[in-house]
Amino acid sequence: MPPPLVVAASLVAVEAFVLAALGVLELASIRSTRLTMGATTAAFFLAAAAALAWCAWSLWNVRRWARGPVVMTQLIQLGLAWNLWAGSTKPVSAGLALVALVVIAGLVHPASTQVLEEDARLEP
């Protein structure tokens, strides 16, 4: 597996871990006054974490289908970074944008594209 794809898959795994941590923190902060909002938010974070973890694992195993959902996630993350670019959230915004751009670059790198396209030729 080429290094750019290793980096991309690793960063996606880290993103999945962070989303899972946010989901657990949301579960821990649920109060009776906001039970529905807290439960659905936690469920969303945990489901997104599971989906990203599956995509990261699939990229590690050179599965071409995982590239599309990961790129879409990174584009959403870039939009979130854009919206957070103000005041005290600038460092978070910069971090989100940097990770998203590195993941996208790793996925579209020629070496990554080559091995992912080889996977497509091997599919029955």
Side-chain angles (χ1 to χ4, degrees):
M1 185 161 60
L5 190 56
V6 170
V7 170
S10 300
L11 287 174
V12 171
V14 169
E15 289 173 342
F17 176 78
V18 170
L19 278 173
L22 288 171
V24 169
L25 289 172
E26 184 64 31
L27 280 175
S29 69
I30 291 178
R31 303 289 178 256
S32 62
T33 57
R34 55 181 291 278
L35 181 62
T36 303
M37 178 61 85
T40 56
T41 301
F44 172 79
F45 281 145
L46 294 172
L52 268 183
W54 185 33
C55 287
W57 180 84
S58 295
L59 286 173
W60 269 104
N61 290 294
V62 192
R63 301 288 186 255
R64 182 177 77 141
W65 69 264
R67 181 172 41 188
V70 169
V71 168
M72 186 63 192
T73 302
Q74 303 314 306
L75 293 174
I76 292 168
Q77 187 167 310
L78 284 171
L80 179 62
W82 177 265
N83 284 324
L84 291 174
W85 189 258
S88 63
T89 58
K90 273 190 183 176
V92 173
S93 175
L96 288 171
L98 178 64
V99 169
L101 291 171
V102 169
V103 170
I104 291 171
L107 291 175
V108 300
H109 189 277
S112 299
T113 301
Q114 181 180 357
V115 297
L116 291 170
E117 290 303 318
E118 286 172 9
D119 173 60
R121 286 189 287 276
L122 296 176
E123 291 176 0

